[in-house]
Amino acid sequence: MKLPDPFFGYGGHITAELPGAHVLFTTRLGGVSSGPYESLNLGLLTDDAPEAVRENRRKLSAFTGLPLAALAHGHQVHGTEVRRVLEPPLETSSPEPADGQATALQGVAPMVLTADCLPIALASLGAVTMVHAGWRGLAGGVIEEGVSALRELDPDGAVVAAIGPGARACCYEVGEEVRATLGQEGRTADLPGAARRKLEAAGVEEVHDVGLCTMCSEEKMFFSHRRDGGITGRQAGVVWRA
């Protein structure tokens, strides 16, 4: 799998080093789930066996070198809420509704789960943010809220973004209403293009895009809600301070 800079493959997954941050976009490789959730399904709200998902999350924890409780995530609702994580999360705490997590803490890793929506990492030297951006979130302002959350935690310095795997204009057919909401034409939606414009407008100085489509990449590589008819697992986008 040939990847553009600064992305590189490691252990079957996609990683990147941004100024002040480590980024990980998981694939579906290396887990214990079976059937339509094979194999590294990280979504507890799927119909996969819960213990299999928990074991997969333990594998993710080991891969990052961070405790399982350090993976800060929310109950995603395709909204714009980005939670500011000011204290280390507890492993037993129930996720609050949020489509992004931001922190300035060392050893805490904001995480989102995706299966066609975009995972987008934001990093400065003093804070990191990860957002879950489908067309509703993009239209509603989740990127702007993600940048705002990062700036609250670290007012100074350049912000860099990394866009992970998601549904792209090659495959993501949508209706006229969605295209109009995103300000686009044609039969497909260009989520990364919309994300890039919003990131740049919000003052992000560098935007890196891995360029991979979850719908038409090899099926063994990524979960895709659209391709798999809604019965599928979830991969993760994770970012933590270097």
Side-chain angles (χ1 to χ4, degrees):
M1 181 168 47
K2 185 174 176 58
L3 300 172
D5 291 337
F7 302 98
F8 57 97
Y10 181 74
H13 304 297
I14 299 165
T15 61
E17 299 296 320
L18 301 183
H22 306 296
V23 178
L24 169 65
F25 298 119
T26 67
T27 67
R28 65 187 296 175
L29 303 176
V32 301
S33 295
S34 60
Y37 309 105
E38 187 180 356
S39 67
L40 192 72
N41 173 31
L42 300 166
L44 279 169
L45 297 183
T46 64
D47 288 331
D48 194 4
E51 186 47 46
V53 178
R54 293 188 185 99
E55 177 59 24
N56 291 337
R57 290 192 175 197
R58 286 190 283 268
K59 288 179 176 291
L60 173 60
S61 170
F63 190 88
T64 63
L66 297 170
L68 187 59
L71 301 173
H73 61 286
H75 174 50
Q76 296 168 194
V77 294
H78 296 278
T80 61
E81 177 71 23
V82 177
R83 189 167 67 97
R84 283 67 164 167
V85 182
L86 305 179
E87 298 179 353
L90 300 175
E91 189 171 350
T92 56
S93 60
S94 298
E96 300 176 10
D99 281 83
Q101 312 285 319
T103 193
L105 298 175
Q106 293 279 2
V108 173
M111 177 177 78
V112 298
L113 302 177
T114 63
D116 282 334
C117 294
L118 298 174
I120 302 176
L122 301 168
S124 66
L125 291 179
V128 292
T129 300
M130 182 66 76
V131 299
H132 163 255
W135 71 266
R136 291 180 181 86
L138 286 171
V142 71
I143 282 179
E144 293 84 345
E145 181 61 16
V147 174
S148 177
L150 187 74
R151 284 302 191 196
E152 286 179 22
L153 298 171
D154 180 22
D156 302 315
V159 178
V160 179
I163 301 173
R168 293 173 180 264
C170 52
C171 299
Y172 190 39
E173 294 189 20
V174 296
E176 182 179 350
E177 179 185 357
V178 174
R179 295 194 299 273
T181 299
L182 295 176
Q184 297 178 353
E185 298 180 352
R187 64 184 179 83
T188 62
D190 180 10
L191 297 184
R196 178 182 288 274
R197 289 190 293 273
K198 287 177 174 292
L199 288 163
E200 291 173 347
V204 175
E205 297 195 9
E206 293 182 25
V207 180
H208 303 286
D209 183 1
V210 74
L212 294 173
C213 178
T214 48
M215 293 180 65
C216 65
S217 293
E218 289 187 51
E219 188 172 343
K220 68 179 182 180
M221 291 301 298
F222 300 112
F223 298 110
S224 169
H225 187 272
R226 178 71 69 92
R227 181 196 66 216
D228 300 335
I231 303 174
T232 194
R234 299 293 186 272
Q235 52 253 346
V238 189
V239 64
W240 64 104
R241 292 187 62 195

